[in-house]
Amino acid sequence: MPRLQVYLPDALYRAVKERQLPASELLQSAVRAELRRQELLEETDRYLSELIEEVGEPSPASVAKAERLAGRVRGEKTRASKAS
C-alpha cells in the first residue's frame, strides 16, 4: 500500500492524539467520502444539463419558488414570518 505524508494543524493533531484515534483510517474514510461527494456532484451536474436540454432553462419565477421551498425545508424563516 502506498504511503502519503499528511500535515495537520497543531490543534487537530493534538485532538487526534488525545483521543487515540486511528489517523490513517480516519483519513482513508474522509478521502473516500470526499471522492463520493464529488462523484455525486458531477452526476448531479450531468443530470441537470440533460434536464435543461430536454425541458429548457427554468423561469425566474420557478427559480424563486424553488429557492423559497428549499429555504422552508432548511427551516429558514421568510420575510413575512420574520415580521410577525
Side-chain angles (χ1 to χ4, degrees):
M1 180 181 304
R3 294 177 58 111
L4 177 70
Q5 189 168 359
V6 176
Y7 295 93
L8 298 174
D10 291 340
L12 189 55
Y13 174 81
R14 281 191 303 275
V16 168
K17 289 300 180 184
E18 286 170 4
R19 290 176 175 82
Q20 299 179 345
L21 297 172
S24 184
E25 292 172 27
L26 288 171
L27 179 60
Q28 289 174 41
S29 178
V31 169
R32 283 187 191 100
E34 178 59 18
L35 291 172
R36 179 67 177 143
R37 186 186 74 82
Q38 288 184 14
E39 289 169 1
L40 291 172
L41 287 173
E42 291 166 1
E43 184 60 33
T44 299
D45 288 343
R46 280 191 294 275
Y47 172 74
L48 289 175
S49 293
E50 292 171 8
L51 191 58
I52 288 170
E53 254 183 59
E54 185 178 325
V55 298
E57 291 280 344
S59 69
S62 293
V63 171
K65 183 177 179 181
E67 288 173 351
R68 285 191 306 274
L69 179 59
R72 284 181 39 210
V73 168
R74 287 189 302 263
E76 297 172 0
K77 295 184 178 187
T78 63
R79 281 188 215 150
S81 64
K82 286 179 187 175
S84 53

